[in-house]
Amino acid sequence: MSKTIIILLGLIIAASAQAKAQDQTKPQLNLSITAGPAIGESSNRFKVGDAILITLTMTNTATDSQSVCLSSNLYQNLPRLTKDGQLVPIMGWTSSVRKIAKHDETCEDINLPEKVVLDPKAQKAVDWFVLVDSSVSTGAEAWYDALQPGKYELSLQRRLDCCDGPTLHSNKITFTVE
């Protein structure tokens, strides 16, 4: 009986040590997003035809520096937008370009990835993208066509490495289009 208890305790201690080691290898980063009419601005109300830009802010909760990649939005970001609980599909061209880029593995060749260093216990705006272009097209690479009136919820999955690897999930934000 005591031999079984010792073996069981040994397994518990080993599993605990393994879990702790895995936690230490994961980047200790938080991702938050805000929507606004311009980079760095925040709003929860838009009019039909307004451009909606998303600013990405990362917080390094670790005691050492962490680096993340800055590459193309098509490789790194995957927004999830819902209206009244229903998933809003991304624009057709965006979906096609994502599939082609993944198939052809063009990330490293076409975009010159750049590493961004996040200081310990610091917060930094690291990137932005166009969720919806304005009704007067600017030619921006937007993820969605013009949004119709309603209440929307957005979250983002962001790749930490330039072309593949682990991802972070952002907070969820809500906004209204009138």
Side-chain angles (χ1 to χ4, degrees), residues 44-50 147-152 175-178:
N44 62 359
R45 294 192 112 41
F46 299 92
K47 292 187 182 339
V48 171
D50 283 354
L147 300 179
Q148 299 306 307
K151 186 172 182 172
Y152 292 85
F175 58 88
T176 302
V177 174
E178 302 170 327

Side-chain angles (χ1 to χ4, degrees), residues 4-5 7 23 30 47 73 95 102 107 117 131 159:
T4 303
I5 293 173
I7 292 172
D23 285 346
N30 292 326
K47 292 187 182 339
N73 284 319
S95 183
K102 184 174 183 174
C107 178
V117 176
L131 188 71
R159 192 170 305 285

Side-chain angles (χ1 to χ4, degrees), residues 30-33 54 56-57 78 154-158 167-173:
N30 292 326
L31 172 63
S32 62
I33 57 175
I54 306 300
L56 288 68
T57 302
L78 184 57
L154 175 69
S155 62
L156 180 71
Q157 187 175 338
R158 169 80 175 194
T167 58
L168 281 179
H169 292 272
S170 75
N171 58 315
K172 289 182 182 178
I173 60 172

Side-chain angles (χ1 to χ4, degrees), residues 21-23 31 52 60 69 75-77 86 106 108 114 116 151 173:
Q22 287 176 344
D23 285 346
L31 172 63
I52 302 175
N60 179 3
C69 187
Y75 304 119
Q76 288 199 278
N77 298 324
Q86 299 296 312
T106 58
E108 292 288 348
E114 159 186 353
V116 175
K151 186 172 182 172
I173 60 172

Side-chain angles (χ1 to χ4, degrees), residues 43-162:
S43 178
N44 62 359
R45 294 192 112 41
F46 299 92
K47 292 187 182 339
V48 171
D50 283 354
I52 302 175
L53 279 66
I54 306 300
T55 301
L56 288 68
T57 302
M58 288 190 176
T59 303
N60 179 3
T61 61
T63 55
D64 56 337
S65 296
Q66 302 280 328
S67 66
V68 296
C69 187
L70 203 56
S71 184
S72 168
N73 284 319
L74 292 173
Y75 304 119
Q76 288 199 278
N77 298 324
L78 184 57
R80 181 176 177 5
L81 183 66
T82 60
K83 177 185 178 196
D84 303 323
Q86 299 296 312
L87 188 62
V88 177
I90 61 175
M91 291 174 59
W93 79 268
T94 306
S95 183
S96 296
V97 170
R98 283 178 55 85
K99 287 177 187 171
I100 292 167
K102 184 174 183 174
H103 178 267
D104 293 348
E105 298 179 349
T106 58
C107 178
E108 292 288 348
D109 297 329
I110 293 176
N111 293 291
L112 300 175
E114 159 186 353
K115 290 287 185 180
V116 175
V117 176
L118 302 171
D119 293 330
K121 305 291 184 191
Q123 185 177 62
K124 183 177 191 177
V126 294
D127 204 358
W128 63 276
F129 65 89
V130 179
L131 188 71
V132 177
D133 199 3
S134 66
S135 57
V136 178
S137 179
T138 64
E141 294 179 352
W143 283 89
Y144 296 94
D145 289 315
L147 300 179
Q148 299 306 307
K151 186 172 182 172
Y152 292 85
E153 183 177 85
L154 175 69
S155 62
L156 180 71
Q157 187 175 338
R158 169 80 175 194
R159 192 170 305 285
L160 294 176
D161 292 330
C162 295

